[in-house]
Amino acid sequence: MSLSYVQHRASELHRAFRIRNVLEQGACVLGLVWCAVVIFVAPQLVVKVGVALLLVGIAYAMVQWRRRAGARRIGAFDSIESGLVFYKRELERKRDVHLTLWRWYLLPILPGTLTIVLWNFFGDAHTKGTRTPWIVLAMVVAWIAASVIYERYKAAQYQREIDALSSLQ
């Protein structure tokens, strides 16, 4: 394995995470804007409270994402060993981000989401007794399940690469 290949793999990892960071941060900004608008427009207090909880959860998740998953600068490597150590450490960091994401990204968003879902079941006169709350609940459960499955898949992918690198040393 050459030094240029190690640098290339580290650069690809950095680029992929930088793209995901931009997408995640963009989605969070859109979510924050949506929440701010709904807080001022919604006539029901419970909706305002639920969306305010959602806004706080999104803001917290956004800060945590930047802190935990921010792309780190890649410098020039002195040797293949130093490049492999850096690359392996970054893979481990990314794996840990994917394994713990549900705690610091999905969990803070749940109180607001559940408040809105429960309002659909019990508070909204237009949706009481209809299928709409069940559809909303199914969408939330599908979103959470898909997120957890995807993050576990990505963590396993990084772990396989870490194991392959460990077998080289």
Side-chain angles (χ1 to χ4, degrees):
M1 184 177 298
S2 70
L3 183 59
S4 63
Y5 180 73
V6 172
Q7 195 129 22
H8 167 73
R9 291 295 296 156
S11 295
E12 285 296 311
L13 181 67
H14 176 75
R15 186 179 77 73
F17 233 72
R18 210 172 62 235
I19 290 169
R20 173 135 186 215
N21 287 348
V22 167
L23 294 174
E24 292 288 342
Q25 295 294 310
C28 284
V29 167
L30 289 175
L32 291 173
V33 169
W34 177 83
C35 286
V37 169
V38 170
I39 286 172
F40 289 110
V41 173
Q44 296 88 357
L45 181 62
V46 71
V47 174
K48 290 180 185 234
V49 170
V51 173
L53 286 171
L54 191 58
L55 186 134
V56 170
I58 291 171
Y60 177 80
M62 189 174 179
V63 168
Q64 290 299 314
W65 183 270
R66 288 193 57 84
R67 188 174 75 81
R68 296 171 188 255
R72 295 194 176 148
R73 289 274 174 220
I74 300 172
F77 302 129
D78 298 336
S79 65
I80 292 176
E81 290 79 25
S82 67
L84 284 174
V85 166
F86 174 83
Y87 182 53
K88 186 177 174 187
R89 201 172 313 128
E90 281 299 292
L91 286 170
E92 290 167 347
R93 189 172 73 91
K94 307 276 190 243
R95 177 204 58 205
D96 293 343
V97 163
H98 288 287
L99 284 175
T100 62
L101 187 120
W102 67 272
R103 280 188 296 207
W104 51 266
Y105 196 84
L106 292 177
L107 215 53
I109 295 172
L110 280 181
T113 305
L114 289 177
T115 302
I116 294 167
V117 168
L118 289 174
W119 174 76
N120 270 301
F121 273 103
F122 305 111
D124 187 10
H126 299 2
T127 60
K128 268 187 189 173
T130 66
R131 291 186 308 197
T132 304
W134 293 104
I135 293 170
V136 171
L137 181 62
M139 288 170 45
V140 168
V141 169
W143 165 65
I144 292 170
S147 296
V148 169
I149 290 167
Y150 173 76
E151 298 305 331
R152 295 285 174 185
Y153 168 76
K154 290 301 287 181
Q157 205 174 28
Y158 286 128
Q159 186 60 50
R160 283 191 297 276
E161 195 160 355
I162 291 166
D163 293 342
L165 285 174
S166 294
S167 70
L168 292 175
Q169 296 174 340

